[in-house]
Amino acid sequence: MELIERGPALQLLQGAFDVAGQGAGRTALVSGEAGIGKTSLVTQLVAELRDSRVLWGGCEALFSPRPLGPLYDMADALGSKLKAMLGLEGRRVELFTSFLANLQESRETTVIVLEDLHWADAATLDLVKFLGRRIQRVRALLVLSYRDDELGERHPLQMVLGDLPADAVVRVPLLPLSEAGVAELARRARHSADGVYAATGGNPFFVTEALRAEGMPATVRDAVLARAARQTPAVRALLDLAAIVPARIEADLIDAILAPDRADIAAALASGLLTADGRSYAFRHELARFAIEQALPAPLAATLHGKMLACLERREPPVATSRLVHHASGAGDSSAVLKYALHAGDEAASHGAHREAASLYATALVHADALAPAERAGLLERLSYQCYLIDQNDKAIAARAAALPIWRELGDLQHEGLTLRWLSRLHWFGGHKQEAEEYASQAVELLQDLPDDEAYAWALSNRSQLYMLSGHTDESVEWGTRAIDLATRIGSHEVLAHALNNVGTARYAAGLSDGRPMIERSLEISLAHDYEEHVARCHANFVATAVKNRDYAEARLQIAAATRYFTARDLDSWSNYIEAWQARLDFEQGQWDAAATTAIRLANSHGVAPVTRMCALTVLVRLRMRRGDPGVKELMEELKTLASASGELQRLAPVAAALAEDACLRDAADAVDPLVLQAYTMAEQRQDPRSRGELRYWCQKLGLADPGPEGTEAPYALQLSGQWREAAQAWDRLGCPYERALALLDGDEAAMREALAIFESLGATATVRRCREHLRCAGVRGVARGPRATTSANPAGLTSRELEILALLTDGLSNAQIAGKLVRSEKTVDHHISAILRKLDARSRGEAVSIASRLGFGTTGGDVVGRA
């Protein structure tokens, strides 16, 4: 049957399929509210396609979704090898890679349909991300449907969709039917259209239900319940049972529990509420199922859930544990919830569905009164670890803290010590340095009488890690060496990898030649044992240390190696961290547009770890500060808060340098932030050449420090000793144009003019203004006026026209209104808005306006101001 007002949407999907058939795969995002017709549209598409293979799976509204549920739906069509891998722990990368290979080997164009992604588990979202980033390599169309009105700003799906390559994505938003469309549906149903559009808002499902009702219902819920109420008791019982099972219910389950006769089944299907596919039944729409489920009296619902649970427990082969949890919870069966939630949580964790695992463990904890103390503490630890992985650090701390008195009561020193070590680590992540130090010390003190225990080795390595992170090289090496010796003696590969990384990074950062080989050995051990977190730590420490040491060539090689590793695994928390260091590398080497693009993306991404956000914001602040753009103060306040909470020189020094440079640019030496001297003093105490050099240079400019070159990195040492020409050459060899210009500014007239040209080429408008003042004070004449102000107010490389249009978007104007105001075609305005979205890494007009506001791109007389 022809769909009403869905021709353009169907054409978009068919066009994407045609492109995919030529070997350039596409992802289609079919979005809209519940009942808008997403499934009907995709079903129509599949029915019209020829020479294609269809893989169809969906997510369900279970208490906690089954990890990779859509893959289980399509398992029979994927082949025995891939199907066998579904139930195996720790094989997710291999499973995803095999799925991709399956698509590449298919002779037909494949349509992969993943429905209801707003209910997806984390593992399924990772699959979407994996396929979406690689879809252009295969002859496949990935169709993703979801309710866009249920995606909050921090919904995990929102972040996944934002990471898909824009040039391979086709967006198919479905809007409600027009009044004419509703009238056509009414005509086909031989029903009056009076009042239907007003009552339904054009939602196709609502329209259909209203047209089926006897008289106009107040709500769709009323229409569904009225139709159900007209059925016989046997049919209503069948509907009630089906309503407690999300998505679909197998026919044999209905037979086992209710034993309905054929007439009752036929009546249920004739009611229009249920549909059948041969082996199972499903409500025609989730909204109808939900209406009937919500209307069930609580005792009846609990009884039905209990019967379904008993039936599923006897089923062969066993059903997904997440289904058992759903019905055990509905039945109020605490012992069953506890039993199955623990098993389902372990299953979810093994698939990388950490959010679902945390939810399941939390559910089990509610019913954990019957557990023995050690089992309860173990459950708390499992919950804590999953919360740690999904950035719910406060909950992770709370769970570990709750486990601590249990281990103490049991007198289990090993578990108590491990819990203290974890509390140290979690408090460090939360920015609570003092608490992290206290727990670390308690762990060591408690376990020191167990010299050959792995828990003691972890306590030693944790102590080494904290010292490494705070720049105490000698202490990190001392504690880490003890951990290495103990781990080697007892054969603990994981502690050995952890400790080698700590000591190696501390020594590598200090410029000692044996540091790097230690990290390489840690990496070898981690790769051999598939310790993904430790592999990621090795890559992250390689990159960060190389950038801090200004070994930029090595940093780029390490970034490439890390990218290859992360690409196959989609470890976004670590890849984001390394991207932040990539932004800092680009910033220091004068590639400011690239640095701005990366920093803006990370600054606007939700769920980015504080250490990553700090690095990105530091780049962004210094770019905006040097370019004279607004919004520096707001971002700087956040940076100061984050850096101060960390208490670490590696976080404090870049922020302090930015504050000091800002004071110089504003000629505000009398109002320098106290954080500058705090970080400078710390750099002197730590004897860190990099931080010492930069902070001493700016503090000297502000009259806060003597100009001595001792203990600073080589180029700054040359500058601080007055050897501006040699310093400029040193910066040039390193590839740092801004610092080279600062050195030249201390030279003769020719050098100062060259410095001005470099600042102008970088777009450092604020620095250019100070440079001109310096030249005038030095008696230099004939200095050009410099770039027009309109080119300095240019966020993320926006053109003047794009700036103008962004201002009009901020004022709430439509495309047509903007076109009229600018005397341009609407199509031209569309092109400009697409460019704005791309440059700001925004997914919608509203998000672009939000980003502009958050980053300080205000409007002044219709002009947006700002740059990076």
Side-chain angles (χ1 to χ4, degrees):
M1 184 176 180
E2 179 188 357
L3 298 177
I4 300 293
E5 297 183 343
R6 293 297 183 250
L10 197 57
Q11 288 174 8
L12 277 174
L13 291 174
Q14 289 171 329
F17 176 80
D18 292 341
V19 173
Q22 297 168 13
R26 289 292 183 267
T27 298
L29 307 181
V30 181
S31 60
E33 64 186 24
I36 204 67
K38 298 181 290 294
T39 299
S40 297
L41 176 68
V42 179
T43 301
Q44 184 71 24
L45 169 73
V46 169
E48 295 183 6
L49 295 179
R50 299 290 183 270
D51 301 322
S52 65
R53 177 177 66 145
V54 178
L55 302 174
W56 198 306
C59 304
E60 300 176 346
L62 291 171
F63 172 80
S64 185
R66 182 183 193 183
L68 298 175
L71 271 188
Y72 282 91
D73 290 344
M74 58 183 73
D76 289 338
L78 294 175
S80 56
K81 177 185 175 184
L82 212 154
K83 185 177 180 180
M85 290 181 1
L86 272 174
L88 300 179
E89 295 186 10
R91 301 286 292 277
R92 191 171 60 158
V93 173
E94 186 179 348
L95 175 64
F96 289 3
T97 304
S98 295
F99 189 20
L100 185 66
N102 183 286
L103 299 177
Q104 291 169 327
E105 293 164 3
S106 176
R107 295 182 180 180
E108 304 169 294
T109 303
T110 305
V111 180
I112 311 126
V113 181
L114 301 180
E115 282 200 289
D116 295 322
L117 279 180
H118 49 280
W119 288 325
D121 64 282
T124 297
L125 292 180
D126 283 344
L127 172 65
V128 170
K129 193 186 307 178
F130 182 90
L131 291 178
R133 290 176 174 177
R134 298 159 180 82
I135 200 70
Q136 290 164 290
R137 308 176 194 170
V138 296
R139 294 202 313 160
L141 173 63
L142 176 61
V143 181
L144 311 176
S145 76
Y146 57 94
R147 298 179 188 173
D148 55 355
D149 60 333
E150 295 190 14
L151 301 190
E153 194 176 52
R154 296 182 64 85
H155 194 289
L157 177 59
Q158 196 80 272
M159 293 175 244
V160 170
L161 298 180
D163 283 339
L164 298 178
D167 56 345
V169 171
V170 177
R171 295 181 181 270
V172 189
L174 297 185
L175 301 176
L177 301 177
S178 67
E179 193 164 359
V182 172
E184 174 59 20
L185 274 181
R187 185 191 65 78
R188 293 182 183 184
R190 298 181 181 180
H191 193 291
S192 171
D194 292 345
V196 177
Y197 180 78
T200 64
N203 181 291
F205 176 73
F206 296 175
V207 172
T208 303
E209 291 303 306
L211 293 174
R212 286 175 180 266
E214 294 181 0
M216 182 60 62
T219 66
V220 171
R221 176 181 178 275
D222 293 341
V224 170
L225 295 179
R227 190 155 17 128
R230 292 195 294 270
Q231 309 306 315
T232 66
V235 173
R236 181 58 193 264
L238 194 157
L239 293 173
D240 289 345
L241 180 64
I244 68 166
V245 182
R248 64 188 69 84
I249 181 171
E250 295 86 341
D252 62 313
L253 289 176
I254 289 180
D255 291 339
I257 297 172
L258 295 178
D261 58 35
R262 296 294 178 187
D264 293 333
I265 293 174
L269 296 174
S271 73
L273 290 168
L274 282 187
T275 62
D277 67 1
R279 294 182 298 172
S280 63
Y281 303 100
F283 277 86
R284 191 167 59 82
H285 197 281
E286 178 68 14
L287 289 171
R289 185 197 71 79
F290 186 72
I292 293 180
E293 181 187 30
Q294 290 298 299
L296 289 174
L300 175 58
T303 299
L304 291 175
H305 277 291
K307 290 180 178 179
M308 183 60 68
L309 176 62
C311 196
L312 290 175
E313 286 177 322
R314 297 190 299 268
R315 196 173 179 84
E316 289 295 339
V319 302
T321 316
S322 53
R323 290 186 67 181
L324 299 175
V325 175
H326 177 79
H327 294 296
S329 180
D333 187 337
S334 291
S335 61
V337 169
L338 188 60
K339 174 183 175 182
Y340 295 122
L342 287 171
H343 186 277
D346 293 344
E347 181 184 24
S350 72
H351 283 293
H354 302 298
R355 193 171 301 278
E356 286 68 41
S359 175
L360 287 159
Y361 290 146
T363 300
L365 192 61
V366 173
H367 299 268
D369 291 341
L371 287 179
E375 292 175 322
R376 180 180 175 83
L379 173 57
L380 286 164
E381 289 181 345
R382 279 189 275 183
L383 172 61
S384 177
Y385 185 67
Q386 298 304 312
C387 290
Y388 159 70
L389 293 177
I390 60 175
D391 202 24
Q392 294 183 357
N393 204 60
D394 289 344
K395 291 182 180 179
I397 291 174
R400 291 280 175 182
L404 186 61
I406 298 176
W407 294 127
R408 283 176 172 164
E409 181 73 21
L410 293 172
D412 190 325
L413 296 183
Q414 288 93 337
H415 278 99
E416 181 184 347
L418 287 170
T419 302
L420 290 169
R421 173 254 167 183
W422 265 111
L423 284 169
S424 171
R425 178 68 171 160
L426 293 170
H427 278 285
W428 179 86
F429 260 100
H432 312 304
K433 185 175 185 293
Q434 182 176 348
E435 290 89 341
E437 295 284 351
E438 289 173 356
Y439 280 117
S441 297
Q442 289 177 36
V444 172
E445 183 177 353
L446 177 73
L447 296 168
Q448 61 187 351
D449 293 331
L450 304 172
D452 293 327
D453 194 271
E454 185 180 52
Y456 184 47
W458 273 117
L460 295 172
S461 191
N462 179 67
R463 182 80 271 179
S464 171
Q465 185 178 19
L466 288 176
Y467 279 128
M468 178 270 289
L469 290 166
S470 60
H472 291 80
T473 301
D474 292 342
E475 293 87 344
S476 176
V477 171
E478 177 189 348
W479 287 86
T481 300
R482 292 169 62 188
I484 290 169
D485 291 344
L486 177 52
T488 302
R489 189 166 69 248
I490 65 177
S492 175
H493 298 294
E494 188 173 7
V495 177
L496 180 60
H498 190 269
L500 283 168
N501 195 343
N502 299 331
V503 176
T505 301
R507 295 183 70 80
Y508 182 30
L512 300 171
S513 60
D514 63 344
R516 175 173 174 156
M518 295 181 79
I519 306 177
E520 289 173 342
R521 187 179 168 207
S522 172
L523 181 58
E524 289 173 4
I525 295 170
S526 300
L527 287 169
H529 294 274
D530 200 25
Y531 300 145
E532 287 189 343
E533 181 182 357
H534 301 308
V535 172
R537 275 192 69 224
C538 288
H539 285 306
N541 287 339
F542 266 136
V543 171
T545 306
V547 173
K548 284 188 284 188
N549 287 347
R550 299 194 194 274
D551 190 350
Y552 299 123
E554 174 64 19
R556 292 190 186 279
L557 288 174
Q558 292 295 339
I559 287 172
T563 300
R564 287 193 296 272
Y565 183 79
F566 295 149
T567 296
R569 290 162 179 80
D570 292 324
L571 296 171
D572 285 356
S573 60
W574 294 102
S575 61
N576 282 340
Y577 182 75
I578 286 181
E579 275 197 56
W581 282 96
Q582 170 82 65
R584 177 168 166 178
L585 187 160
D586 289 336
F587 166 69
E588 292 182 2
Q589 294 213 286
Q591 298 178 32
W592 284 7
D593 287 341
T597 298
T598 303
I600 287 173
R601 187 190 73 77
L602 292 170
N604 286 305
S605 295
H606 297 289
V608 170
V611 287
T612 300
R613 181 168 180 78
M614 218 180 305
C615 187
L617 285 181
T618 303
V619 170
L620 199 54
V621 161
R622 300 195 82 168
L623 281 171
R624 292 163 69 92
M625 182 181 71
R626 291 174 179 179
R627 288 171 162 174
D629 294 333
V632 172
K633 182 178 179 181
E634 295 79 6
L635 293 183
M636 187 66 84
E637 287 303 314
E638 181 184 354
L639 256 181
K640 286 166 54 182
T641 300
L642 290 171
S644 297
S646 78
E648 294 175 357
L649 180 62
Q650 63 170 326
R651 319 293 177 199
L652 287 164
V655 179
L659 286 164
E661 183 179 1
D662 183 52
C664 287
L665 289 172
R666 293 185 295 103
D667 196 18
D670 57 339
V672 179
D673 194 284
L675 185 63
V676 175
L677 281 177
Q678 176 190 342
Y680 175 51
T681 302
M682 188 180 294
E684 292 288 342
Q685 292 171 345
R686 300 283 188 277
Q687 299 182 9
D688 179 66
R690 168 81 189 257
S691 301
R692 255 178 158 179
E694 187 170 20
L695 288 173
R696 192 181 294 177
Y697 171 81
W698 289 112
C699 285
Q700 177 201 329
K701 293 287 185 185
L702 294 167
L704 301 175
D706 295 329
E710 298 81 8
T712 65
E713 64 174 327
Y716 277 121
L718 292 168
Q719 275 181 262
L720 291 166
S721 61
Q723 300 177 66
W724 62 267
R725 185 175 286 103
E726 291 80 0
Q729 290 171 350
W731 289 122
D732 189 43
R733 286 192 296 271
L734 289 171
C736 300
Y738 188 84
E739 285 73 15
R740 176 170 177 262
L742 289 176
L744 290 170
L745 200 56
D746 291 336
D748 54 26
E749 180 175 331
M752 287 190 284
R753 288 183 179 276
E754 186 179 357
L756 178 60
I758 293 172
F759 290 140
E760 289 179 338
S761 70
L762 290 169
T765 307
T767 312
V768 165
R769 286 196 294 268
R770 294 294 296 165
C771 183
R772 291 180 188 285
E773 293 175 15
H774 181 80
L775 266 65
R776 283 197 296 273
C777 291
V780 178
R781 298 289 179 264
V783 180
R785 184 174 64 87
R788 293 167 55 193
T790 52
T791 61
S792 66
N794 186 2
L798 299 181
T799 65
S800 350
R801 179 64 73 190
E802 289 162 357
L803 287 167
E804 191 174 6
I805 289 173
L806 181 54
L808 295 173
L809 284 176
T810 305
D811 292 339
L813 273 64
S814 68
N815 288 19
Q817 291 171 321
I818 293 172
K821 193 173 183 68
L822 299 180
V823 195
R824 293 288 186 274
S825 72
E826 195 169 341
K827 186 175 181 180
T828 298
V829 171
D830 289 340
H831 287 314
H832 282 307
I833 290 176
S834 295
I836 292 169
L837 297 182
R838 185 181 68 255
K839 292 178 180 180
L840 291 181
D841 194 30
R843 293 182 288 276
S844 67
R845 294 157 53 100
E847 188 174 347
V849 171
S850 175
I851 290 171
S853 173
R854 188 159 61 249
L855 294 181
F857 302 153
T859 57
T860 307
D863 292 327
V864 178
V865 292
R867 185 163 179 163

